[in-house]
Amino acid sequence: MQHQALPGFRDLYPPDTALKNHIINTWREVARTYGFEEYDGPPLESLNLYTEKSGDEIVDQLYAFTDKGGRAVALRPEMTPTLARMVAARAPALKKPIRWFAIPQLFRYERQQRGRFREHHQFNLDVIGEVSPLADAEVIAVAIDSLHELGLGENDFRVLVSDRSVVKSLLLAARVSEEQLGSAYAAMDKVHREKTANLHSFLLKAGMQKTVANKVLDIATVRGLTDVSNAIERAGGDTAATKNLSECVEALDAMGLGGMIDVDCSVVRGLAYYTGIVFELFDSSKSLRAICGGGRYDGLLKVLGGVDLPAVGFGMGDVVVGELLKERGLVPFEGMGLDVFVVGVTPEDVPEVMRLARSLRGLGLSVEYPLRSQALGKQMKLGAARKARTAIIIGPEERSDGKVVVRILATGSEERVELSKLTKEYLRPD
């Protein structure tokens, strides 16, 4: 029987792993430059940690089972419940605001599609214990700079920002009842990927009058801070309701990131626990799923961990980011290989080949050599297949005079050099 990976799980061959590590290393470095500390938690948690947050219906989307101790457990589908549990355990001792990030592997049993598997790595970053909109701007800036560091620019993606509390005010003014808010959010969340007629029908089935359903979809078309303020004013609300959203956008503008930001009332995020500013990052053509999503969730930590602290954060998955980098030709590992491939002309040269390889590895260079005796031509072909920049050739004559032949494989140029010249700077020039 020929075994295959389970549906929705990835076999990551070396090039795929290199891309994943490139993304993760970039996330980690950008988070560090913003002063965030990394944490982690167990990949297996009590099932009730997730059902308390999302209800029993989430079980169908989880890898859940009963362990050998009779406990109901699940592979983590998200990181926020673990974060809430960990913060609650040490909340009094933690200096606020808490600036933490994690890059967990997550598991969710759901339908596969482009940009979505049943497992992926996700960049989670949160600020806990701060109500200022500057915290919201800070986490959005991290998301933007993470993509910038991967080579993506203003023409590659956009940041859509809204405020759940502002949208709620507009919906209530449009005579959407509290019980119908969830349906209104669900419809607004789909305006970019569903036909208007389908969404209108969905809202009617949720019990809304035709005029109310029309107003919900109209609210989803409001764009820009000025139009949001005007919509609030027309609805008879206080224009000060947009204060947090305005401060957040102004802060991003002060950072030089304002050109990436679009205020868009259709962005509400599908999860019920968001309370304020929400945001999503999309590729410019919206051909992929959201690159990143997040927002303010001021009441969630109290529900999950019993600690009443405001919080804002985001999640960014490696699958969609990887797809976008491939589309833009920004995968940096094609053509990269070894620094040095060391070959011996005769079997008697093998001990010197191994000594030199070990010495060069001690300098931090990537080095390989043949593991069995081969003709020189076959050795050079293997070095080329490994995409080595340089081949070092050792023969009897080189051993006798303490020199080696250094060949640049891309050009074929070579020179005889003394062993003392084989420095990292010489073999791997920047």
Side-chain angles (χ1 to χ4, degrees), residues 264-421:
D264 185 335
C265 278
S266 71
V267 176
V268 292
R269 303 289 291 148
L271 300 173
Y273 57 71
Y274 286 113
T275 59
I277 291 171
V278 287
F279 57 92
E280 292 180 338
L281 280 65
F282 285 94
D283 66 287
S284 298
S285 63
K286 287 195 175 180
S287 63
L288 297 167
R289 298 177 64 245
I291 303 168
C292 172
R296 181 162 287 278
Y297 54 99
D298 285 348
L300 185 61
L301 268 70
K302 185 176 182 180
V303 173
L304 293 178
V307 176
D308 193 7
L309 288 172
V312 58
F314 69 72
M316 180 187 298
D318 71 308
V319 178
V320 177
V321 173
E323 288 284 335
L324 188 55
L325 294 181
K326 291 173 187 176
E327 275 192 2
R328 300 298 193 271
L330 293 171
V331 178
F333 302 100
E334 294 179 6
M336 292 183 66
L338 294 171
D339 292 317
V340 180
F341 193 84
V342 187
V343 302
V345 177
T346 70
E348 289 74 23
D349 301 316
V350 172
E352 184 59 31
V353 165
M354 292 190 292
R355 279 192 290 270
L356 180 59
R358 181 169 177 79
S359 175
L360 296 178
R361 287 166 177 165
L363 298 178
L365 297 166
S366 58
V367 183
E368 187 181 338
Y369 58 86
L371 298 178
R372 61 185 175 88
S373 294
Q374 292 178 320
L376 183 60
K378 284 190 175 182
Q379 295 182 65
M380 297 302 292
K381 285 182 179 179
L382 180 57
R386 295 290 195 256
K387 300 181 180 179
R389 178 185 178 275
T390 302
I392 295 180
I393 305 168
I394 301 174
E397 185 178 344
E398 285 75 29
R399 283 190 288 116
S400 67
D401 60 12
K403 294 184 178 181
V404 296
V405 174
V406 177
R407 180 183 296 177
I408 306 300
L409 292 181
T411 64
S413 63
E414 63 181 39
E415 63 175 331
R416 288 173 61 85
V417 302
E418 295 181 359
L419 288 171
S420 60
K421 190 177 179 181

Side-chain angles (χ1 to χ4, degrees), residues 75-336:
L75 290 173
R76 61 187 177 196
E78 58 178 313
M79 200 63 180
T80 303
T82 296
L83 171 66
R85 179 177 60 73
M86 292 174 64
V87 168
R90 299 189 180 181
L94 295 172
K95 181 66 177 175
K96 316 304 185 295
I98 301 163
R99 298 165 68 98
W100 284 5
F101 78 97
I103 307 175
Q105 186 176 20
L106 304 179
F107 306 85
R108 190 179 285 264
Y109 194 88
E110 57 186 359
R111 185 172 63 87
Q112 303 169 68
Q113 54 184 288
R114 187 186 180 199
R116 173 181 289 174
F117 290 92
R118 289 175 176 172
E119 59 80 23
H120 70 285
H121 285 80
Q122 183 166 291
F123 183 21
N124 284 83
L125 182 136
D126 300 84
V127 174
I128 300 170
E130 179 55 68
V131 297
S132 169
L134 296 188
D136 303 69
E138 185 84 338
V139 299
I140 294 172
V142 175
I144 293 172
D145 281 343
S146 296
L147 297 182
H148 282 168
E149 284 299 308
L150 289 165
L152 297 164
E154 188 167 332
N155 294 328
D156 297 306
F157 70 96
R158 302 298 299 170
V159 184
L160 308 185
V161 182
S162 184
D163 189 321
R164 188 78 167 254
S165 62
V166 171
V167 173
K168 180 179 179 179
S169 296
L170 291 172
L171 291 173
L172 293 176
R175 301 202 175 180
V176 175
S177 69
E178 288 278 355
E179 293 75 20
Q180 294 170 337
L181 283 174
S183 297
Y185 293 145
M188 296 175 74
D189 190 48
K190 296 176 182 177
V191 294
H192 295 295
R193 56 186 186 275
E194 277 279 355
K195 293 181 179 179
T196 301
N198 293 343
L199 295 176
H200 193 268
S201 176
F202 169 78
L203 293 173
L204 294 180
K205 290 179 181 178
M208 294 184 196
Q209 297 294 322
K210 182 177 180 180
T211 55
V212 175
N214 289 336
K215 288 180 181 179
V216 169
L217 298 179
D218 286 343
I219 291 169
T221 66
V222 177
R223 306 284 187 271
L225 276 173
T226 300
D227 286 350
V228 172
S229 295
N230 290 340
I232 287 285
E233 189 172 2
R234 286 195 302 272
D238 185 358
T239 54
T242 62
K243 178 177 179 293
N244 286 345
L245 183 59
S246 297
E247 287 188 16
C248 177
V249 173
E250 289 167 4
L252 289 164
D253 192 49
M255 296 180 204
L257 301 174
M260 304 290 304
I261 308 301
D262 298 322
V263 174
D264 185 335
C265 278
S266 71
V267 176
V268 292
R269 303 289 291 148
L271 300 173
Y273 57 71
Y274 286 113
T275 59
I277 291 171
V278 287
F279 57 92
E280 292 180 338
L281 280 65
F282 285 94
D283 66 287
S284 298
S285 63
K286 287 195 175 180
S287 63
L288 297 167
R289 298 177 64 245
I291 303 168
C292 172
R296 181 162 287 278
Y297 54 99
D298 285 348
L300 185 61
L301 268 70
K302 185 176 182 180
V303 173
L304 293 178
V307 176
D308 193 7
L309 288 172
V312 58
F314 69 72
M316 180 187 298
D318 71 308
V319 178
V320 177
V321 173
E323 288 284 335
L324 188 55
L325 294 181
K326 291 173 187 176
E327 275 192 2
R328 300 298 193 271
L330 293 171
V331 178
F333 302 100
E334 294 179 6
M336 292 183 66

